[in-house]
């Protein structure tokens, strides 16, 4: 089952497809956008019958069929945003647009994926994660083989032009290095992927760039939120949860909470905690073991952010980074 919210004006119609999800995400959202002769699909949900049926029912309810879709536009490569791409394009070949950095991930380029596993092996070792890090790196190796079937079969067109289908293209990395937002300046609408979610904070997920270098994901996420704060946005269409009608106040709340959490980490490091894993266990306790990769992304993001801000310094001791506070 899904709920439908319909937004219309003289030159654009949006048909959100909102599929309930039992997780903390509450729903998985993707969007049909009608502009002139085009009918775009922004993101493509999970690869399951619930999302497929939601798409077909929404098309049919509004007088369309699958053959009326003219393109698929992806905010980022995560599996809950690209799931139906293969099913759609196998029945109705249409262009698929994505960030250039999405392509090795969507095409499951083996060289990139092997590099990515090696990146996490080294990262978790340097953060002092020990067996927990080794276990997760082994999981990623198995997932690399298990998920071969998730390769996107369609050709992918790189999004390099601005505007695209009347949307201004906004780079909003942080949650994902390839995340884009699509801004309809006339309507003050922003299709923002997972940049901003009303009921939970979006995770800034630690990732390597295409060369294997760690990206400062939390700093990127903060900068991306500030980009959107500077826009005249009246409604955000997020990848999960409810549509956001007052994004500015929510963005300010998220930024404030990020700074408050950073200060809590500073105090823990002052108390004698020095490694990433120690900080994660102290702050998140059993959640460290239950949601290891998410917790370590959060911790590493804040450590990098505080180091860039000149609040922390680090020293490599026997292959493990130890952090200390720079007193002002």
């Amino acid at each position: 089952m899904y709920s439908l919210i319909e937004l219309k004006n003289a030159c654009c119609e949006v048909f959100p497809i909102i599929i309930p999800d039992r997780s903390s995400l509450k729903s998985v959202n993707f969007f049909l956008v009608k502009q002139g002769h085009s009918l775009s699909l922004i993101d493509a949900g999970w690869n399951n019958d619930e999302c497929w049926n939601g798409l077909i029912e929404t098309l049919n309810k509004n007088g369309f069929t699958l053959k009326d879709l003219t393109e698929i536009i992806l905010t980022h490569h995560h599996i809950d945003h690209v799931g139906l791409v293969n099913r759609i394009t196998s029945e109705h070949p249409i262009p698929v647009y994505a960030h250039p950095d999405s392509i090795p991930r969507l095409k499951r380029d083996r060289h990139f994926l092997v590099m990515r596993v090696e990146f996490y092996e080294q990262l978790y070792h340097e953060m002092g994660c020990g067996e927990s890090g080794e276990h997760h790196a082994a999981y990623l190796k198995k997932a690399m083989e298990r998920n071969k079937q998730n390769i996107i079969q369609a050709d992918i067109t790189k999004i390099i032009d601005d505007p695209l289908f009347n949307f201004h293209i906004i780079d909003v990395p942080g949650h994902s290095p390839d995340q884009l937002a699509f801004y309809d300046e006339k309507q003050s609408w922003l299709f923002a992927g997972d940049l901003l979610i009303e009921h939970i904070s979006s995770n800034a997920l630690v990732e390597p760039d295409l060369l294997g270098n760690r990206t400062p994901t939390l700093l990127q996420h903060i900068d991306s939120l500030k980009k959107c704060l500077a826009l005249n946005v009246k409604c955000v269409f997020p990848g999960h949860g409810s549509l956001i009608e007052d994004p500015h106040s929510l963005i300010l709340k998220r930024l404030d909470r990020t700074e408050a959490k950073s200060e809590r980490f500073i105090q823990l490091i002052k108390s004698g905690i020095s490694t990433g894993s120690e900080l994660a266990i102290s702050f998140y306790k059993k959640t460290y073991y239950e949601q290891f990769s998410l917790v370590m992304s959060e911790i590493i993001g804040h450590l990098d952010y505080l180091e860039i801000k000149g609040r922390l310094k680090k020293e490599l001791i026997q292959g493990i980074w130890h952090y200390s506070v720079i007193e002002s």
Side-chain angles (χ1 to χ4, degrees):
M1 296 297 293
Y2 68 99
S3 60
L4 175 67
I5 302 168
E6 184 176 318
L7 297 170
K8 296 183 179 182
N9 58 45
C11 59
C12 185
E13 300 178 48
V14 180
F15 307 96
I17 306 165
I18 301 177
I19 310 299
D21 192 285
R22 294 179 181 178
S23 73
S24 62
L25 297 174
K26 291 190 177 181
S27 70
V28 173
N29 308 338
F30 45 118
F31 305 94
L32 290 166
V33 182
K34 176 65 175 171
Q35 300 181 88
H37 297 294
S38 71
L39 181 64
S40 306
L41 181 68
I42 297 181
D43 285 342
W46 287 107
N47 182 23
N48 60 27
D49 288 340
E50 289 81 7
C51 287
W52 177 258
N53 292 338
L55 170 63
I56 299 302
E57 289 173 21
T58 303
L59 285 165
N60 293 343
K61 181 176 180 178
N62 293 282
F64 306 118
T65 69
L66 194 68
K67 299 297 183 182
D68 291 309
L69 287 178
T70 51
E71 57 273 327
I72 301 170
I73 309 171
L74 301 175
T75 60
H76 60 297
H77 75 279
H78 290 169
I79 190 62
D80 55 331
H81 292 257
V82 307
L84 294 179
V85 170
N86 283 339
R87 191 167 179 179
I88 293 167
T89 56
S90 67
E91 294 193 22
H92 176 44
I94 53 175
V96 178
Y97 293 84
H99 190 293
D101 289 355
S102 297
I103 293 176
R105 294 167 166 90
L106 294 174
K107 289 297 187 179
R108 302 201 62 78
D109 178 86
R110 185 166 183 84
H111 175 76
F112 172 78
L113 294 178
V114 169
M115 175 274 288
R116 186 173 180 269
V117 171
E118 293 172 349
F119 165 84
Y120 285 114
E121 283 182 317
Q122 180 177 346
L123 177 64
Y124 293 145
H125 172 73
E126 291 176 347
M127 290 293 154
C129 297
E131 289 186 7
S132 295
E134 293 169 6
H135 176 77
H136 191 70
Y139 167 81
L140 290 175
K141 285 182 182 178
K142 292 178 182 178
M144 186 173 66
E145 302 301 324
R146 185 174 62 249
N147 294 330
K148 283 181 178 179
Q149 73 277 8
N150 291 333
I151 184 172
I152 296 300
Q153 301 296 334
D155 291 336
I156 301 169
T157 301
K158 298 177 183 179
I159 297 177
I160 54 177
D161 293 326
D162 181 23
L164 178 74
F165 304 111
N166 297 319
F167 295 118
H168 288 292
I169 308 304
I170 315 294
D171 271 295
V172 287
H175 173 71
S176 177
D178 60 329
Q179 186 168 238
L180 296 171
F182 308 116
Y183 179 46
D184 185 329
E185 187 174 11
K186 290 183 179 179
Q187 317 310 324
S188 299
W189 291 344
L190 187 73
F191 297 84
D194 288 349
L195 173 65
L196 189 67
I197 302 172
E198 187 173 53
H199 64 283
I200 55 173
S201 296
S202 183
N203 302 99
L205 300 175
V206 64
E207 278 275 355
D209 64 17
L210 297 186
L211 298 177
N213 302 307
R214 182 159 95 240
T215 54
T217 52
L218 182 59
L219 179 62
Q220 289 179 334
H221 183 62
I222 290 169
D223 288 344
S224 294
L225 287 173
K226 289 179 177 177
K227 283 183 187 178
C228 294
L229 197 62
L231 300 174
N232 177 33
V233 178
K234 294 179 181 177
C235 184
V236 170
F237 296 83
H240 307 280
S242 303
L243 304 191
I244 302 168
E245 296 186 50
D246 184 16
H248 285 69
S249 63
L250 183 60
I251 291 171
L252 291 173
K253 183 190 295 185
R254 293 283 182 264
L255 293 172
D256 287 345
R257 287 185 177 179
T258 297
E259 294 300 327
K261 185 176 283 189
S262 285
E263 290 303 319
R264 292 172 70 184
F265 290 148
I266 286 284
Q267 295 307 314
L268 285 171
I269 293 170
K270 281 185 175 180
S271 74
I273 290 172
S274 66
T275 69
S277 61
E278 291 172 343
L279 191 61
I281 293 168
S282 177
F283 191 84
Y284 287 101
K285 299 180 172 55
K286 67 178 182 179
T287 306
Y288 169 78
Y289 303 99
E290 296 169 350
Q291 300 182 41
F292 175 81
S293 62
L294 292 178
V295 165
M296 287 310 301
S297 282
E298 184 80 359
I299 292 296
I300 294 166
H302 277 272
L303 289 173
D304 288 346
Y305 175 59
L306 289 167
E307 185 182 2
I308 291 168
K309 288 182 66 177
R311 302 289 305 281
L312 293 179
K313 60 182 178 181
K314 66 178 186 282
E315 181 182 7
L316 193 64
I317 302 174
Q318 296 182 341
I320 296 174
W321 289 113
H322 290 258
Y323 292 83
S324 58
V325 175
I326 297 174
E327 301 291 350
S328 56

